[in-house]
Amino acid sequence: MNTVPDRTTDEAPTIHWTDDQWSDLIDHIANHNVLPVIGPALVTTVEGGVQRPLYEALAGPLAQKLGLPNGDWRNTMQVAREAVSRLPNMNSGKVWERLKGLLKAHDAASPEPSPGLAALAAIDGFDLLIASTPDEQMVRALQAARTPFDSARQVFYFCDRGRATPHPAAPARKDVSAQFQQYANCDLPSPLNGVTLYQVMSSVHAPNAPVWEEDYMEYICTLLEKSSAVENLLSQLRSRDLLLIGAPSEDWIVRFFMRVARGKRLSEDAPNASHRFAEARTVQSAPMLFFFEHATRLTTVIEGNPVQFALELQRRWSQRAQGAIATANIFQRVGERCPNGGVFISYAREDITQVESLVRALLAAKVPVWLDKRELETGGNYDRALQAEIKQACCLFVSVVSPTTEDAAHAGRYLHRERAWAAERHVDGYVFYLKLLTGLAAGHRESQEPAAVHQVQRHRFEDLTGFVQRVRELVDDHRAGKRLKG
């Protein structure tokens, strides 16, 4: 399908990344703020004891089925392009039927998923994965790694003519026109029901799929034209950081994902986004890697083989899960910046015990959180950075109110600046500013909170479970693109 550089997946495994960068990525995955986009370089098959990209391996057999001469076919997209342009009475639909037959035959003969896909499936911090190929390999990987996994209900795909039949778990959409109803069957549910796979470039179960460049262009145009019918999918792309793995940088489809995720030009600043792109540096990829590194200002390029990257990511995730999380200070799981759409917690350090319980409960509920862990002085760049976290990055602001924060003697502390910035963003009738009271008598009325937020929702620490459930509901609504009214 997509272009794959001329290389095999058993190249040198060196990944040019620091331990701190790995740790930061894993923190964001733990907060469910990372959305992996899986490209064709991770979909591999074994030939002669060596892993090779599947869409390279199928190029020759596809050419033979279509009646093209033997040659050094680089991938199935090249074969499709030549077939449509050179063979009489040949079209994309006929190419897709031949390719679909080859994919199904391969899945039947080689049920084991590719190593890179198996590694990603084993990372339970991923609750949504996007695949850009129509094969069943990622489905098989999730079936093996996540139990239970119902492919009939947890796998979605987009088809440029809409789904022929409704998805059993698709949301009912009465708010779209009749001509959009068939595309609404392609949308994600909200909230997600367990780990979910979305195949954005169709599926072997669909009557058609893109096989060469023009088809891909039409798919993407249709996806954008029908955006109101797939708004949950687009909301997920825009609300999370993307991790693009195995999607070759010279492929313009990569740029499409970046553009959709940001909702603006790639060259514009995006202070609260941090996408990552795992790709080996080759002659073909060098120009696009240069663009991502120097022009976009928001994308980290992770040099190295994408399969080896996936394996190393799974190893580090597993290592952390096997005991590091249980024994480490909970605040080590909070990254160095607020995840886009996260929950900002404002607190006094004297209340650290209660705050630790709150953070643990929110992370266990898969709510991304952030709080200032550093003993830094006020002023200058720090003020501007923290204001951006509150006014732009987070979707909710939680003020932990306690006898310490209510003491007039502490009125000049930095947490009160945080609250003032949050109050400036607060709008009556909408939920943004939440109060969590701890150690205060029932009926207490706050004297040290900004006047603008006296009527916001108040919760008590004694009902931490109910508070966490409410926050989780609000975060889910935000991810679904809903305004948080309340």
Side-chain angles (χ1 to χ4, degrees), residues 53-76:
L54 177 62
Y55 293 92
E56 284 184 7
L58 293 182
L62 179 61
Q64 185 178 26
K65 281 187 172 293
L66 294 173
L68 290 170
N70 294 332
D72 185 19
W73 298 106
R74 191 160 174 255
N75 52 57
T76 58

Side-chain angles (χ1 to χ4, degrees), residues 34 62 103 105 108 145-146 195 203 206 220 234 310 324 368 376 439 464:
V34 177
L62 179 61
L103 290 172
R146 308 286 189 97
V195 62
S203 158
I220 290 170
L234 295 181
L376 295 178
L464 183 60

Side-chain angles (χ1 to χ4, degrees), residues 13-59:
T14 303
I15 304 296
H16 302 284
W17 232 27
T18 67
D19 287 340
D20 286 343
Q21 287 174 310
W22 282 110
S23 179
D24 183 59
L25 172 58
I26 290 174
D27 284 339
H28 286 300
I29 293 173
N31 282 332
H32 294 270
N33 195 46
V34 177
L35 179 54
V37 179
I38 303 159
L42 282 189
V43 184
T44 61
T45 188
V46 178
E47 282 192 351
V50 176
Q51 292 286 338
R52 183 185 180 193
L54 177 62
Y55 293 92
E56 284 184 7
L58 293 182

